Amino acid sequence: MVAFVQLRTPLALLGAAVLLLVGPPLLAAGSGSETGTQIPGLRFMVPNTPGGGYDITARTAAKNAEDAGLTHNIEVFNLPGAGGTVGLSRLVSEHGNGKLAMSMGLGVVGAVRSNDAPKTLADTTPIARLTEEQDVVVVAKDSPYKSIDDLIGAWKDDPGKLPVGGGSAPGGPDHLAPMLMARAAGIAPKDVNYIPFDGGGELLASILGNKVAFGVSGVGEYLDQIKAGELRLLAVTGPKRVAGLDAPTLQEAGYDVNFTNWRGIVAPPGLTEAERDKLTRLIEELHDSPEWRRSMEQNGWDDAFLTGDRFGDFLDAQDKRVVSVLKELGL
């Protein structure tokens, strides 16, 4: 009996040694550590209210990253105000914080201009553009407007009496889209009664309560309400119809508008090269994951992936585009 125990002891020690060598890689499989994507304490800031496009994007990205094992326990928090520039100012003040990122898009570009914000996206570290999506033109289910022609006919008769709501500040996507619609319909953009809301979540209540005649926002924000019949979809603003939705493009309806929105991720300034690369690597792995691919399809988002300096150049071009369009529209 003693001989048996003595024989097992060296074998057990050898087995333990093998487990020590083999164990960590097995535990790391699917955990994100093999690609260096684990960022303990990572936080995603949303610069508008819950329920808007930035909010949906951030929460979807966080859940997908966790489900894919890329990192864990991402905190998503909202810091709304001034079309996203309150959050932007906070982000820029977090100089060197490699555990913070902000969901954003064209709306923040426009808000920086319309609010004459002291901090701009040029002060951030660009990480990635993620998605592109069309805007939708929607009314409440009991609205008298059954088609886009019904709506625009009434709008042309008296633009000031038909307020349009959007989930972005002037210069943002939900502002630019109806202004381009107005111009295409022969309505002077300066005559449009545009009411800005701090995100699609705030806008939704005003559409459902008929406090605005119609609303313009991203397709992913209102997909559930459209499918549930709470909102009536009259048109989409992009170049093609949205799969699964029964509504024409504005171009199909005879209005020369082709407009899409986009969303992405930026981080504070002053990150080390290693911090920037790790955050970028996390978003790249997220982009390639089946979880994210499913979410894009479910939300009606198109892939528009762009990272690093190329995304930074894109942000600069978008700023110039906003200024150009606002001047062109006389706004």
Side-chain angles (χ1 to χ4, degrees):
M1 190 71 165
V2 173
F4 180 69
V5 172
Q6 288 175 337
L7 182 63
R8 283 193 61 193
T9 301
L11 290 174
L13 290 171
L14 177 61
V18 170
L19 284 174
L20 283 172
L21 290 172
V22 175
L26 290 175
L27 290 172
S31 70
S33 58
E34 72 277 7
T35 54
T37 60
Q38 289 286 347
I39 307 177
L42 179 61
R43 308 175 78 208
F44 280 171
M45 183 199 304
V46 177
N48 63 8
T49 53
Y54 302 150
D55 188 68
I56 294 170
T57 302
R59 293 182 190 279
T60 300
K63 184 178 188 305
N64 288 170
E66 292 176 3
D67 289 347
L70 300 175
T71 194
H72 300 285
N73 301 319
I74 301 173
E75 178 190 349
V76 181
F77 68 100
N78 298 76
L79 185 62
T85 57
V86 170
L88 175 62
S89 179
R90 163 72 179 276
L91 186 83
V92 174
S93 74
E94 295 272 348
H95 189 278
N97 185 351
K99 297 178 182 289
L100 179 65
M102 185 177 85
S103 174
M104 48 72 70
L106 180 56
V108 176
V109 178
V112 165
R113 285 291 173 181
S114 62
N115 291 314
D116 196 22
K119 302 299 181 183
T120 74
L121 289 164
D123 297 313
T124 69
T125 299
I127 300 299
R129 184 183 68 187
L130 290 173
T131 62
E132 188 175 53
E133 72 170 340
Q134 304 194 42
D135 267 359
V136 291
V137 182
V138 292
V139 295
K141 63 182 180 182
D142 57 351
S143 167
Y145 309 116
K146 309 293 185 185
S147 70
I148 190 66
D149 285 334
D150 288 345
L151 172 65
I152 288 183
W155 199 23
K156 289 174 71 173
D157 288 341
D158 197 341
K161 286 191 175 179
L162 263 73
V164 50
S168 59
D174 300 349
H175 173 249
L176 294 178
M179 295 302 166
L180 293 170
M181 280 174 55
R183 185 181 65 175
I187 300 168
K190 63 182 178 58
D191 292 337
V192 173
N193 181 7
Y194 177 76
I195 301 176
F197 293 84
D198 206 354
E202 280 192 0
L203 170 62
L204 179 61
S206 288
I207 301 172
L208 294 175
N210 292 305
K211 294 180 180 178
V212 293
F214 65 105
V216 177
S217 196
V219 60
E221 295 176 67
Y222 292 158
L223 203 54
D224 290 344
Q225 289 81 7
I226 291 168
K227 290 184 174 180
E230 296 173 17
L231 293 176
R232 181 182 301 142
L233 175 61
L234 301 185
V236 297
T237 65
K240 60 183 180 180
R241 290 189 177 216
V242 175
L245 296 181
D246 184 20
T249 67
L250 287 169
Q251 288 184 327
E252 277 183 74
Y255 306 100
D256 188 17
V257 176
N258 182 351
F259 182 86
T260 55
N261 186 17
W262 57 268
R263 295 194 181 92
I265 301 286
V266 294
L271 268 58
T272 66
E273 185 175 351
E275 288 171 329
R276 183 197 64 199
D277 289 350
K278 192 166 192 177
L279 188 51
T280 302
R281 192 159 50 244
L282 169 62
I283 301 302
E284 286 173 341
E285 293 288 327
L286 168 68
H287 168 259
D288 292 339
S289 70
E291 290 84 356
W292 179 251
R293 296 289 172 172
R294 283 194 295 271
S295 292
M296 284 201 300
E297 183 177 353
Q298 290 167 358
N299 286 291
W301 296 337
D302 294 322
D303 191 12
F305 198 61
L306 198 65
T307 60
D309 291 340
R310 291 173 62 205
F311 180 42
D313 292 341
F314 172 79
L315 290 176
D316 183 59
Q318 287 289 286
D319 181 56
K320 292 180 172 65
R321 177 193 176 207
V322 166
V323 173
S324 175
V325 172
L326 290 174
K327 285 182 178 177
E328 184 184 336
L329 294 173
L331 300 170

